[in-house]
Amino acid sequence: GSYSATKFDYATSAHRQPGSSFKTFALMTLIHDYQGNPASTYYVSKPLAPGWLSSDPTWEVHTAEDSYQGTINITKATILSDNTVYVQLAADLGWEKLDDTARAMGITSPLDGNPSEVIGGLRVGVTPLEMADSYATLSNGGNHVPATIINKVVFPDGSTRDFGNAKSTRVFPYDEAYEGTGVLKQVVTSGTGTPANYGCPVAGKTGTANNLENAWFVGYSPRMSTAVWVGYPQGNIPMSDGFGGALAAPIWNEYMHDASSGYCGDWKAPEVPFEGKPFFGPFAVTGQPVTAPSTSTGSQTKTDTSTTPSGGTGLGSGTTTNQTNNPTLFAQPPQPGATNPTPPPAHNPPTGGGGGGDGGGTSGSPKH
């Protein structure tokens, strides 16, 4: 709307629950902090009943439609936006490390190290600008550049003042950023973010907050990062089919297609590819595959919404197009006898409330 209609800037001031678009920070924590290979790190997609996490004994986690995949790797869990896998991964990585990654990439809103943060259960939320800025770190090949609203000012006498050369900070080596982008590309080509695919190399992630109240798509090309949020300005109001893939990704698609002005380039492959290694946290799978549990026909379970603020909904999220073909995507996990080369530290985080995920509540739906 116009300035006369509202003086509130949603891009910079609207703090909204990001849903599963926050999972990208866990993905990059796995890659950077533990040199973990998403294609060879496995977890069991399954309903997590109260008590699965000792530090928060009342928290239970489901996917949007109570459909589960059994043993899958992190690449596939990202493509399908599986909440149950990602909350286990975050517990193994350490919530403090996940928050550190988010801050390094560009998140400035308060983070509390709560278990639900990985699927978007934040106390305050984040703004669309923060999310676009954070994902731009991957677009830039691992360099974070602070957002700059004014490039330069030209004064009447012809002199100029340049604001456009913000200092960049190296957050990830290029090969790690390229690895993360390779996973997020597949979200757009074959996962929850396919409505964002306009035929050029892009990467991103859908996000859906509790009860379908906020829909996001945050994504990027080699030249541009964009966050799209869809929601009600009046507050957290459920939306019909309010999934990030359904509502935000098509907007992102149309905008990015036009804003790219015909550019359709891809990221250059690193001279030395990221290899990584399987990550074996306490919840990870180190043995034989586990058969997917039967699909429940009961109603979806919502999580404790104590971390969801009472005001506002938001708009913003991202996805990707064009993917690197990963032949190990559906490979079998390591066989028994594998050892953990880097045991993660013990974690004693504060208890966490519920969080959003693609599909509402604690969810991750492969259909949206």
Side-chain angles (χ1 to χ4, degrees):
S2 65
Y3 184 73
S4 61
T6 178
K7 298 177 177 60
F8 188 76
D9 189 337
Y10 283 90
T12 61
S13 303
H15 289 82
R16 307 297 182 233
Q17 297 300 300
S20 290
S21 61
F22 216 75
K23 290 174 181 172
T24 294
F25 304 123
L27 172 67
M28 293 312 301
T29 301
L30 170 69
I31 293 170
H32 178 67
D33 288 81
Y34 294 95
Q35 293 295 295
N37 186 336
S40 59
T41 297
Y42 288 82
Y43 284 80
V44 179
S45 166
K46 62 182 179 181
L48 300 174
W52 77 272
L53 187 65
S54 59
S55 62
D56 193 350
T58 65
W59 192 32
E60 59 183 307
V61 185
H62 292 242
T63 59
E65 297 170 357
D66 273 321
S67 60
Y68 304 96
Q69 307 297 315
T71 300
I72 56 174
N73 61 22
I74 294 302
T75 300
K76 186 175 181 182
T78 308
I79 294 170
L80 300 179
S81 198
D82 192 300
N83 279 1
T84 66
V85 166
Y86 258 90
V87 295
Q88 293 177 84
L89 172 65
D92 284 347
L93 296 172
W95 298 285
E96 298 85 357
K97 286 185 178 294
L98 186 150
D99 286 357
D100 288 346
T101 299
R103 292 188 185 98
M105 289 178 66
I107 296 299
T108 57
S109 291
L111 299 173
D112 304 304
N114 287 330
S116 61
E117 285 182 341
V118 67
I119 53 175
L122 278 63
R123 175 170 56 88
V124 176
V126 291
T127 67
L129 179 61
E130 287 177 76
M131 293 302 287
D133 180 38
S134 298
Y135 278 56
T137 300
L138 295 177
S139 174
N140 291 332
N143 275 325
H144 175 248
V145 181
T148 303
I149 193 171
I150 297 174
N151 188 45
K152 68 178 180 179
V153 175
V154 180
F155 295 96
D157 63 0
S159 62
T160 64
R161 183 172 180 184
D162 190 354
F163 298 94
N165 293 318
K167 183 180 179 180
S168 66
T169 302
R170 172 64 68 179
V171 179
F172 310 116
Y174 183 78
D175 64 317
E176 294 178 3
Y178 187 84
E179 177 74 12
T181 292
V183 174
L184 295 174
K185 279 183 173 185
Q186 297 175 70
V187 173
V188 177
T189 55
S190 61
T192 60
T194 52
N197 190 342
Y198 61 91
C200 291
V202 295
K205 186 72 189 70
T206 49
T208 307
N210 253 359
N211 304 317
L212 309 186
E213 295 170 345
N214 294 282
W216 293 75
F217 192 82
V218 188
Y220 55 97
S221 72
R223 289 186 176 179
M224 187 181 305
S225 176
T226 298
V228 176
W229 162 80
V230 178
Y232 286 95
Q234 302 95 318
N236 289 313
I237 302 171
M239 297 176 289
S240 176
D241 199 19
F243 293 91
L247 296 184
I251 298 172
W252 189 93
N253 180 330
E254 185 174 350
Y255 171 79
M256 286 289 284
H257 177 270
D258 293 345
S260 296
S261 301
Y263 173 77
C264 202
D266 202 348
W267 289 269
K268 182 181 179 181
E271 293 182 4
V272 179
F274 175 84
E275 292 184 5
K277 57 192 176 185
F279 171 69
F280 300 123
F283 288 106
V285 173
T286 59
Q288 295 288 346
V290 177
T291 303
S294 59
T295 300
S296 169
T297 57
S299 60
Q300 177 184 333
T301 302
K302 306 298 182 184
T303 59
D304 174 9
T305 58
S306 61
T307 58
T308 303
S310 58
T313 52
L315 157 305
S317 170
T319 10
T320 68
T321 78
N322 279 7
Q323 51 144 20
T324 53
N325 186 13
N326 189 344
T328 63
L329 178 58
F330 299 102
Q332 296 302 316
Q335 297 303 304
T339 59
N340 185 349
T342 310
H347 309 299
N348 296 296
T351 58
D358 289 325
T362 52
S363 60
S365 170
K367 295 184 179 179
H368 302 280

